[in-house]
Amino acid sequence: MQEPGSSECSSIVRPANEAAARDLRRVPIHPDHWYPLAWSSEVKRGHTHGVRFAGEPIVLVRTASGTVFALEDRCAHRQIPLRDGVVDGEAIRCCYHGWTYDCTGRCVNIPYLGRERLPNGVRAYPCRELEGLVFVFPGNPARAETTPLPSLGSIANHAYKTRRYARDVACHYSFMHENLMDMNHQFLHRRVMGQMSARSLGRRHGENWVEVDYTLDREGGSRPLGETVALGQSAPGSPTDNDVMTVRTDYPYQTLQIRNPKSALMLDLWAVYVPLDREQRTTRAFGLVSVKRPRMRVLLDVAWPVLIWFTERIFKEDRWAVEREQQAHDEQGADWNHEVFPVINELRDLLRRCGAQASRRVIPIETPVAPGD
Amino acid sequence: MQEPGSSECSSIVRPANEAAARDLRRVPIHPDHWYPLAWSSEVKRGHTHGVRFAGEPIVLVRTASGTVFALEDRCAHRQIPLRDGVVDGEAIRCCYHGWTYDCTGRCVNIPYLGRERLPNGVRAYPCRELEGLVFVFPGNPARAETTPLPSLGSIANHAYKTRRYARDVACHYSFMHENLMDMNHQFLHRRVMGQMSARSLGRRHGENWVEVDYTLDREGGSRPLGETVALGQSAPGSPTDNDVMTVRTDYPYQTLQIRNPKSALMLDLWAVYVPLDREQRTTRAFGLVSVKRPRMRVLLDVAWPVLIWFTERIFKEDRWAVEREQQAHDEQGADWNHEVFPVINELRDLLRRCGAQASRRVIPIETPVAPGD
Amino acid sequence: MQEPGSSECSSIVRPANEAAARDLRRVPIHPDHWYPLAWSSEVKRGHTHGVRFAGEPIVLVRTASGTVFALEDRCAHRQIPLRDGVVDGEAIRCCYHGWTYDCTGRCVNIPYLGRERLPNGVRAYPCRELEGLVFVFPGNPARAETTPLPSLGSIANHAYKTRRYARDVACHYSFMHENLMDMNHQFLHRRVMGQMSARSLGRRHGENWVEVDYTLDREGGSRPLGETVALGQSAPGSPTDNDVMTVRTDYPYQTLQIRNPKSALMLDLWAVYVPLDREQRTTRAFGLVSVKRPRMRVLLDVAWPVLIWFTERIFKEDRWAVEREQQAHDEQGADWNHEVFPVINELRDLLRRCGAQASRRVIPIETPVAPGD
């Protein structure tokens, strides 16, 4: 599953001066990856659905034939959002003056202008559907073909039951990665999880990834029901201390996997954090939590509401924390964090290294001005 | 009604480099015109009414004798709004320390200071009432005398019935002018108007004005009742295709007139768009829609609610569109519009040419500091 | 009670060019004084209470033993507010990863890190309780020892009954000082107080203070009940014109005292205005109004609700005025005030002279980076 622990581990030192000077919370996510921007079910046939990636408005259009395409969400004429337009067969028609675009963004009709004088149109984004998610490639379209869609964990495996969620969080995506990877924050969940403490077993990394293993020890209180649902029905009284949790950031995606002492994968979380606004201070977290079904498969279905409640509570507490971190950063104007946990410092270097170079703006496609009528 | 189509028409070319470099959405409206800032009925005898012109706070005061005057809406002492003051005969008294101003803005009393030491006071604006509107001249007062009040269409003609409206719209005034003048946007009103298409018959322009003629062709659906009310009771089945609509911007005012095939004026709209905030991103549209009464005059009164509903719907759709245009401009930080319709490009040049040079700020009137007591 | 009127009175001239160039509304309050940041009752045993001083977040912690201490309200680790933490004996524990701080701000425990590698922690503020208020010294802590807590008027004197209040006002603290000291603003309270006019009897000042005496003359209407409650039961019809009101700013505190013709102190107000935000455009006014009890002490208790209503109304009108002043300043971007009343110009000089030099920002305590694990 993972690349072997590498010997250059010790060569990862504190960020060099240049890198250290760069505030991680201002590093834009790299656009040359596939990001989910909506659930397939949100984009209904013959309708549009407006979304955002890092401030860029994007319209998803499902045509009469059921195909989804993605365009810059503005009419080339007067910048009205195309999401308010009318789907016309396999094209989208702006609601204001009726300019019409096909799936490549080409302007194919202006009702009051001859066809020989049509302007260039708007930008199109590569777009694919996978497992109920609409993925868009917001970066250089030439790289979309050679960049694979991500593997979505155990979602396609019938031995698992999957919960899907999407939540907006008012923070930079990097706080989300750090929150999940630093399991020393169990104190935050003390009311839901009881008194747990994480013990780091070791970490590994490569060019585009970093991962860490933990065991979680119960220091007091009893095991919550939600955890039992998620991790399986151990015999009463048996220790779960030998379950191993691995958290991995494989840029830009993140996974959390829990294996039991027999190395069976009990819980498999896949997540990605999509920046919504241009400043990348708001993020939509998409997550897929797959839980191994027990032999009596119906047991998991019965217990499912407990797991939902449990994950909602945990997510709510984490959201509170990362939003406070973002607030502090906004107020302090810089990153005052004093991180002492080595894997988190490695993760921060990774996110800096793999991030985009600078905030980009969409430039309008140049359209030659039509001569007078 | 209009100046004849001029031969210099062809000399209007695309904006020169300098002018093109100027973003129309940042051109302030020219203050050396008469602008309506309130309905007369809003300024009650013995009371004040606070308004704004392009961010300048202005207080309208109707004195005990019924006259209206307009002052800068701040006390020279501590900048408290005079609109919260008390009308005292023909003067206005600030509510905080009781400083008192006459209709010229002169400070005529400070209760706790000798009259020989009064400071200079505040700025006064030329102010006149016409047809139930309070007009103010916010620019150079020396030019007010030689600048005529606008002609308000058919409002004073008893052969017409007039609807008055004022609506705030969150956009630059230029979007309002362009919206009304570009009749190719009938697609926006497809649910209210049915399938209409405009055909441009020709355009004319002069130094301070531009105008265009249209016929509107029905492509499908039946004629809406509101349109019938507004344009008159043609014999059933008769085409209205020969009605001619003329839209004209005569800086800074705008008119829309519809004449029937016999050249009778059936509908006469006068409108003006008054910037409210300093950035001129919010506008109050004042409009007067005059409709020719039929021979059975009562018919129009009976049908009036339909006309009101109809115009409200149309206005609501137009407001939605121009506010989306402003939003796009705010986000893009520049004018990305790709205008292909010639009369709109001429209108844009006109609005740039006639606009003010730069955003201005009111400077306080210098008042010599009173010596110690 | 007051320093004698000094001979250097005439040497106070209009602010010199340099000082005049400094906009009073941008002068930060001087931090080297004791400021109340909360009522003692707001800081419950075993709990925290988050406050602000000029934008600095401060957490007040009441420990298990009942002591209150004040720290910078952020964890040194990831900037989460400590106010959301858990009081643990005499220490406060951050709710996220459990870092723990003592009353000096020292980090005394990180659960997952050896004690020999603890970082430095966060800033502590000198903190004392007096008469139900929690005072904090936000400036240079070395000066706290030699700076006395303020005298709080007649609050400890059983011959007086005291009303305490705290109200947030959206303006710079200087507007509050000027509002109370300029008694010519009785016109503002005409509906509550009737027609009163203040007459200045004289003023005095020193290095850190300025004060002025007034008599208030009734020009019309009858004496309001609230005023009777506050100033005592004069025999019916007897003039109160010989009551003397003294308003004094003794930086940064302010007092208003009313003495009857026999020089007995009838009303004693102590107030202070604590900036909340970094721009010092929002202020929390703390006030203690002490009223001399009449011989039949119960009379004052019975009439107390009237006094509360009366002071609330007056405060509401004053708040309206000072918030309008701040709004005007925000809009005009500078101080356009044209002050003609000499004591207010002296007060303005005092507030400039005693204020801080420039806006300061809290710099995080440098913590040496822990080496890798």
Side-chain angles (χ1 to χ4, degrees), chain B residues 52 74 76-80 84 86 93-99 112 119 361-362 364 367-369 373, chain C residues 14 25 175 178-179 182 184-185 187-188 190 203 320-321 324-325 328 331-332 336-340 342:
Chain B
R52 291 254 163 188
R74 61 170 196 98
H77 178 210
R78 297 184 68 89
Q79 322 307 321
I80 292 282
D84 295 299
V86 175
R93 195 172 182 198
C94 176
C95 70
Y96 198 4
H97 299 81
W99 291 31
Y112 52 96
R361 308 203 70 177
V362 178
T367 38
V369 170
D373 62 351
Chain C
R14 295 293 334 239
R25 313 313 175 187
F175 290 114
E178 295 179 47
N179 170 270
D182 188 350
N184 296 306
H185 81 270
F187 188 61
L188 180 67
R190 63 199 177 278
R203 60 190 207 274
W320 177 87
R324 292 300 81 65
E325 293 192 278
E331 200 169 300
Q332 293 163 353
W336 288 14
N337 279 9
H338 178 72
E339 191 49 67
V340 297

Side-chain angles (χ1 to χ4, degrees), chain B residues 189-357:
Chain B
H189 304 305
R190 63 198 177 276
R191 282 170 298 230
V192 187
M193 300 279 280
Q195 285 173 259
M196 302 285 285
S197 79
R199 192 150 45 87
S200 165
L201 301 179
R203 60 191 207 272
R204 295 166 296 280
H205 66 266
E207 198 185 345
N208 300 321
W209 60 273
V210 56
E211 68 182 13
V212 57
D213 295 334
Y214 293 99
T215 55
L216 293 182
D217 301 312
R218 182 158 301 284
E219 295 185 322
S222 60
R223 197 187 193 201
L225 185 54
E227 188 189 318
T228 304
V229 171
L231 296 184
Q233 297 67 32
S234 311
S238 77
T240 60
D241 305 68
N242 296 330
D243 286 353
V244 172
M245 173 191 287
T246 303
V247 186
R248 174 182 172 102
T249 290
D250 202 341
Y251 195 88
Y253 313 110
Q254 195 169 38
T255 55
L256 182 154
Q257 297 185 319
I258 298 180
R259 290 168 189 278
N260 70 11
K262 298 170 195 152
S263 286
L265 181 60
M266 305 307 291
L267 185 145
D268 193 6
L269 164 69
W270 178 89
V272 64
Y273 314 113
V274 183
L276 298 177
D277 61 319
R278 195 183 303 280
E279 300 302 315
Q280 309 205 7
R281 295 267 173 280
T282 328
T283 296
R284 182 160 295 163
F286 285 90
L288 307 170
V289 197
S290 299
V291 177
K292 183 105 187 323
R293 289 182 178 279
R295 286 200 190 117
M296 283 191 62
R297 299 170 63 99
V298 71
L299 277 181
L300 187 60
D301 299 324
V302 168
W304 203 243
V306 176
L307 181 121
I308 288 176
W309 175 87
F310 184 73
T311 52
E312 290 288 335
R313 274 294 300 269
I314 298 286
F315 191 91
K316 191 177 167 188
E317 291 177 343
D318 284 332
R319 173 159 59 183
W320 176 87
V322 291
E323 292 188 343
R324 291 301 80 66
E325 292 192 276
Q326 180 65 57
Q327 260 182 4
H329 186 277
D330 289 345
E331 199 169 302
Q332 293 163 352
D335 192 348
W336 288 15
N337 279 9
H338 178 71
E339 191 49 66
V340 297
F341 195 53
V343 74
I344 298 302
N345 281 322
E346 287 180 7
L347 171 63
R348 292 164 62 106
D349 292 345
L350 170 75
L351 294 174
R352 265 193 214 92
R353 205 165 61 229
C354 294
Q357 280 316 302

Side-chain angles (χ1 to χ4, degrees), chain A residues 14 25 175 178-179 182 184-185 187-188 190 203 320-321 324-325 328 331-332 336-340 342, chain C residues 52 55 74 76-80 84 86 93-99 112 119 361-362 364 367-369 373:
Chain A
R14 294 295 333 240
R25 313 313 175 186
F175 290 115
E178 295 179 46
N179 169 269
D182 188 349
N184 296 306
H185 81 269
F187 187 61
L188 179 68
R190 63 199 176 277
R203 59 191 208 273
W320 176 88
R324 293 299 82 65
E325 292 192 277
E331 199 169 299
Q332 293 163 353
W336 288 14
N337 279 8
H338 177 73
E339 192 48 67
V340 297
Chain C
R52 291 254 164 189
R74 61 169 196 98
H77 179 212
R78 296 184 70 89
Q79 323 304 322
I80 292 283
D84 295 299
V86 175
R93 194 170 183 197
C94 175
C95 70
Y96 197 6
H97 300 81
W99 291 31
Y112 52 96
R361 306 204 72 178
V362 178
T367 38
V369 170
D373 61 352

Side-chain angles (χ1 to χ4, degrees), chain A residues 36-105:
Chain A
L37 298 191
W39 302 109
S40 290
S41 59
E42 293 177 293
V43 195
K44 292 180 175 50
R45 189 183 291 244
H47 287 87
T48 65
H49 183 64
V51 291
R52 291 254 163 189
F53 175 83
E56 293 179 29
I58 295 174
V59 60
L60 305 176
V61 179
R62 194 180 295 276
T63 66
S65 71
T67 311
V68 175
F69 64 83
L71 302 181
E72 194 182 345
D73 190 12
R74 61 170 196 97
C75 179
H77 178 212
R78 297 183 68 89
Q79 323 307 320
I80 293 281
L82 290 176
R83 65 178 172 270
D84 296 299
V86 175
V87 177
D88 189 359
E90 301 300 302
I92 173 76
R93 195 170 183 197
C94 175
C95 71
Y96 197 7
H97 299 80
W99 291 31
T100 308
Y101 303 88
D102 69 11
C103 68
T104 69

Side-chain angles (χ1 to χ4, degrees), chain C residues 251-269:
Chain C
Y251 194 88
Y253 313 111
Q254 195 169 38
T255 56
L256 181 154
Q257 296 185 322
I258 298 179
R259 289 168 191 279
N260 70 11
K262 298 171 196 154
S263 287
L265 181 60
M266 304 306 290
L267 184 143
D268 194 6
L269 164 68

Side-chain angles (χ1 to χ4, degrees), chain A residues 102-316:
Chain A
D102 69 11
C103 68
T104 69
R106 198 164 54 96
C107 182
V108 293
N109 188 26
I110 297 177
Y112 53 96
L113 202 74
R115 299 223 167 205
E116 72 287 353
R117 286 160 52 198
L118 294 174
N120 285 341
V122 297
R123 183 177 175 190
Y125 297 89
C127 178
R128 296 196 203 150
E129 290 189 270
L130 178 65
E131 296 287 357
L133 283 165
V134 181
F135 282 86
V136 166
F137 195 90
N140 182 346
R143 292 191 196 141
E145 283 303 315
T146 58
T147 306
L149 284 163
S151 161
L152 301 180
S154 303
I155 189 170
N157 184 337
H158 291 292
Y160 294 82
K161 182 177 170 85
T162 300
R163 168 157 164 72
R164 298 146 182 265
Y165 64 84
R167 292 286 181 280
D168 290 359
V169 185
C171 73
H172 190 252
Y173 62 89
S174 60
F175 290 115
M176 300 295 289
H177 278 274
E178 295 179 46
N179 169 269
L180 191 67
M181 191 162 279
D182 188 349
M183 279 293 142
N184 296 306
H185 81 269
Q186 291 305 318
F187 187 61
L188 179 68
H189 304 305
R190 63 199 176 277
R191 282 171 297 231
V192 187
M193 301 279 281
Q195 286 173 259
M196 301 286 287
S197 80
R199 193 150 43 87
S200 165
L201 301 180
R203 59 191 208 273
R204 295 165 296 280
H205 66 266
E207 199 183 345
N208 300 320
W209 60 272
V210 56
E211 68 182 10
V212 58
D213 293 333
Y214 294 99
T215 56
L216 294 182
D217 302 310
R218 181 157 302 285
E219 295 183 324
S222 60
R223 195 187 195 200
L225 186 53
E227 188 189 318
T228 305
V229 172
L231 296 184
Q233 297 68 32
S234 310
S238 77
T240 60
D241 305 67
N242 295 329
D243 285 355
V244 172
M245 174 192 286
T246 302
V247 186
R248 175 183 172 101
T249 290
D250 202 340
Y251 194 88
Y253 313 110
Q254 195 169 37
T255 56
L256 182 155
Q257 296 185 320
I258 299 180
R259 290 168 191 278
N260 70 10
K262 297 171 198 154
S263 286
L265 182 60
M266 305 306 291
L267 185 144
D268 193 7
L269 164 69
W270 178 89
V272 65
Y273 314 112
V274 183
L276 298 178
D277 61 317
R278 195 184 302 280
E279 301 302 315
Q280 309 204 7
R281 295 271 174 276
T282 327
T283 295
R284 181 159 296 160
F286 284 90
L288 307 170
V289 196
S290 299
V291 178
K292 183 103 188 320
R293 289 182 178 277
R295 283 195 194 123
M296 282 191 62
R297 299 170 63 100
V298 72
L299 276 181
L300 187 59
D301 298 325
V302 169
W304 203 242
V306 175
L307 181 123
I308 289 176
W309 175 87
F310 184 74
T311 52
E312 291 287 336
R313 274 294 301 269
I314 298 287
F315 191 91
K316 191 178 167 188

